[in-house]
Amino acid sequence: MHTSEKELSDKRQLKKFLNAKVDFYNQPSFIKDDPICIPHLFSKKQDIEIAGFFAAIFAWGNRTTIINKARELMQLMNMQPHKFCLNHTSGALKKLSAFKHRTFTADDLYYFTEFFQQHYSNHDSLETAFFPTKGMTVEEGLNHFKNYFFSFEHLKRTEKHVSAPMQKSTCKRLNMYLRWMVRADNKGVDFGIWKNINPADLICPLDVHVSRVARQYDLLHRKQDDWEAALELTSNLRILDKNDPVKYDFALFGTGVMENKL
């Protein structure tokens, strides 16, 4: 299809605008008001992974509440989530019995803790739970993770807290978590500690705020917010930056939430 000079000019303007927004939000000052501040409390890789995972899973609703509940959980785990999960006793688990965040209850937390104990008893990093081998796509990795995560005895209700592309979900929270773990740009926000997947292959986290802004900027045309929409948005973001498309999450989220341009 022939691309007109006006369309090329519009794309260049959009890229310039979004890059400026990325530069504005992708700064250490962004951390304190975002759930990513929770894994930033830690320096040990496994603590970062576990703290980040809980912060991402809790990430729906009010951001202040999300941060406070994730910090509360880390304190219940003695600010050593890896050690707590790996070595917890039945007595230690009782400390978690009153914990609740929206529909995430102590029963769910017990299973998550049990999963981490099982996984970290055999693996050094949570990365292998998503990407046991190099060359997997994010879609393959997220589907694999869902199956692996619930491969131990569990309550059916707990399954709602972990989404997967095979359910047509946008997987917003897990894609956000992957952004935190995989992107490495030395700006101080994302960690870049996982290497089995390239930042170029990440999928943009898609929620109601991001999707509205993306449609406003003609980056998303699909009507419903689902896995296909996340793929479409990311494909269009790759046109702007093929090596790091998900950096534009900062721009779209910042415009949609921080500036309330909904």
Side-chain angles (χ1 to χ4, degrees), residues 29-41:
S29 58
F30 175 86
I31 294 170
K32 64 180 174 58
D33 297 318
D34 189 81
I36 201 172
C37 71
I38 299 301
H40 272 287
L41 296 171

Side-chain angles (χ1 to χ4, degrees), residues 3-260:
T3 305
S4 70
E5 286 187 22
K6 183 183 183 305
E7 287 173 319
L8 287 172
S9 176
D10 289 346
K11 276 196 169 62
R12 282 194 292 265
Q13 287 300 316
L14 178 61
K15 181 174 180 176
K16 184 178 179 182
F17 171 78
L18 292 177
N19 281 344
K21 290 291 183 185
V22 172
D23 290 342
F24 181 78
Y25 288 110
N26 188 17
Q27 300 285 346
S29 58
F30 175 86
I31 294 170
K32 64 180 174 58
D33 297 318
D34 189 81
I36 201 172
C37 71
I38 299 301
H40 272 287
L41 296 171
F42 304 95
S43 56
K44 180 178 159 184
K45 181 179 182 179
Q46 294 85 355
D47 286 340
I48 291 169
E49 291 175 340
I50 294 172
F53 188 79
F54 278 116
I57 291 296
F58 293 170
W60 79 99
N62 179 276
R63 288 203 300 160
T64 302
T65 302
I66 294 162
I67 292 166
N68 288 342
K69 294 305 291 189
R71 185 177 282 115
E72 175 190 332
L73 178 57
M74 293 302 101
Q75 290 166 347
L76 288 172
M77 292 183 170
N78 308 316
M79 297 305 288
Q80 295 179 301
H82 179 242
K83 183 178 180 182
F84 182 93
C85 290
L86 203 54
N87 304 311
H88 69 266
T89 61
S90 56
L93 280 182
K94 286 179 183 173
K95 291 176 60 180
L96 309 180
S97 61
F99 185 85
K100 188 175 189 296
H101 172 57
R102 300 188 69 156
T103 63
F104 190 93
T105 68
D107 283 335
D108 303 315
L109 181 53
Y110 294 152
Y111 182 76
F112 275 52
T113 304
E114 174 68 20
F115 169 80
F116 284 131
Q117 182 181 52
Q118 295 283 350
H119 180 77
Y120 282 108
S121 293
N122 298 291
H123 301 270
D124 183 61
S125 170
L126 193 58
E127 181 174 19
T128 54
F130 287 87
F131 306 106
T133 59
K134 286 191 175 184
M136 292 176 70
T137 65
V138 167
E139 183 168 339
E140 290 168 339
L142 290 178
N143 284 332
H144 168 80
F145 178 75
K146 172 101 181 189
N147 289 328
Y148 171 51
F149 189 84
F150 290 111
S151 60
F152 308 106
E153 187 179 346
H154 63 278
L155 296 174
K156 186 72 177 173
R157 69 174 307 281
T158 302
E159 293 181 11
K160 67 185 174 188
H161 296 296
V162 177
S163 56
M166 56 190 172
Q167 301 167 294
K168 312 297 185 191
S169 168
T170 65
C171 301
K172 177 257 179 175
R173 289 173 287 165
L174 288 180
N175 278 323
M176 180 179 71
Y177 178 64
L178 293 182
R179 192 206 89 200
W180 294 355
M181 296 297 109
V182 174
R183 281 194 74 250
D185 60 5
N186 299 316
K187 294 293 181 70
V189 183
D190 295 328
F191 291 91
I193 55 177
W194 287 4
K195 306 301 180 186
N196 274 1
I197 183 165
N198 194 300
D201 297 322
L202 291 172
I203 303 299
C204 189
L206 182 70
D207 63 10
V208 62
H209 307 294
V210 168
S211 68
R212 285 177 187 173
V213 176
R215 290 186 179 100
Q216 178 186 329
Y217 295 142
D218 209 27
L219 292 166
L220 177 61
H221 300 106
R222 188 171 174 81
K223 294 287 191 288
Q224 62 265 49
D225 290 349
D226 57 11
W227 182 252
E228 289 300 319
L231 292 179
E232 181 194 337
L233 171 58
T234 306
S235 177
N236 285 322
L237 295 177
R238 287 194 180 109
I239 296 171
L240 303 178
D241 188 337
K242 70 181 192 310
N243 295 318
D244 190 16
V246 175
K247 74 179 185 184
Y248 293 111
D249 183 33
F250 286 103
L252 298 173
F253 178 81
T255 304
V257 175
M258 316 283 274
E259 300 172 27
N260 294 314

